[in-house]
Amino acid sequence: MIKKIIVANWKMNPKTKEGAQVLLEAIKANIKGAKDVEVVICPPAIWLADLKAGGSMKLGAQNCHWEVSGAFTGEISAGMIADAGGEYVILGHSERRQYLGETDEIINLKIKAALKAKLKPILCVGEIAGEEMNVAAERQLISGLAGLSVNQLKEVIITYEPVWAISNAGNRPCLPDEALSAGLFIRKTLTKLYSRFAADKAPVLYGGSVNDQNDLAYIAQSRLDGLLIGGASLEAEEFGRIVKEIEKNENA
Ligand code: 13P
């Protein structure tokens, strides 16, 4: 069975390094003892080297460049993230697709760069309002994973994030049944691209307005392998309740 993964996407928060350290310590205190789930905290990359994870808590970044180094003003490479203590990197988040013009082709290059630097890419797929889930997810998976071997797929985490359900952009929550269908569709697509065996082994997470009231439904009803959490990951107590609830459910 795949170990459940709970990823905190802090986005461009909090405002200061001290705030980030306080939040990380508060999260640590609130998830104390939880060892049967993998917790990945993705702060703004500028603080990665200052934040100390440990135990079942790991660190990740929210983006990386596809080149190793060079004349790319303002960018950070996957190797630099690894050097600063990051082990994961979120790629293809809808906010970067929407505001920074990231295409599926760019995301594919970034996934390959992340894998070369031994980071685990967390590839986000999902439709915008009005788009068909399967059309968007299939396109994003085919292009995002292009050229990856079955061995490389083992390092990739897929996240279904319907853009219409993200807290600051969304207009309605995603029903657990909708997340279930999306998860099944993602596995069906991975089966076509690789094999049934590889698809079953790939972790598929859910993201979009997850809170301590709906978290378990996306795991138990939607049969997914974890959560990518934005707003609620900035609330240490709520985030802690989510991690503990998922762990309790695993051990039940
Ligand atoms: P919210 O949990 O705030 O809806 O954010 C979801 C998200 O974009 C995580 O990557």
Side-chain angles (χ1 to χ4, degrees), residues 9 11 90 93-95 124 161 165-168 207-210 228-232:
N9 179 6
K11 307 190 179 182
I90 299 170
H93 192 280
S94 61
E95 286 152 16
C124 300
E161 270 210 337
I166 295 178
S167 61
N168 63 334
S209 296
V210 173
L228 175 57
I229 307 179

Side-chain angles (χ1 to χ4, degrees), residues 1 4 6 36-37 215-227 241-252:
M1 210 166 81
K4 297 290 182 283
I6 318 265
D36 297 331
V37 287
D215 56 320
L216 203 51
Y218 293 118
I219 302 290
Q221 267 173 266
S222 313
R223 290 189 246 143
L224 295 172
D225 305 305
L227 303 165
R241 280 194 293 278
I242 294 172
V243 170
K244 292 225 156 145
E245 190 171 34
I246 301 303
E247 179 174 62
K248 192 167 154 208
N249 183 60
E250 281 309 280
N251 294 334

Side-chain angles (χ1 to χ4, degrees), residues 3 17 22 26 47 85 88 139 150 174 191 197 206 216 239-240 252:
K3 189 172 180 178
K17 179 168 90 176
V22 168
W47 299 319
Y88 292 77
R139 181 190 70 235
V150 71
C174 177
T191 301
F197 184 76
Y206 170 77
L216 203 51
F239 187 74

Side-chain angles (χ1 to χ4, degrees), residues 18 48-49 139 188 192:
E18 194 193 345
L48 272 176
R139 181 190 70 235
K188 197 168 121 188
K192 273 199 251 169

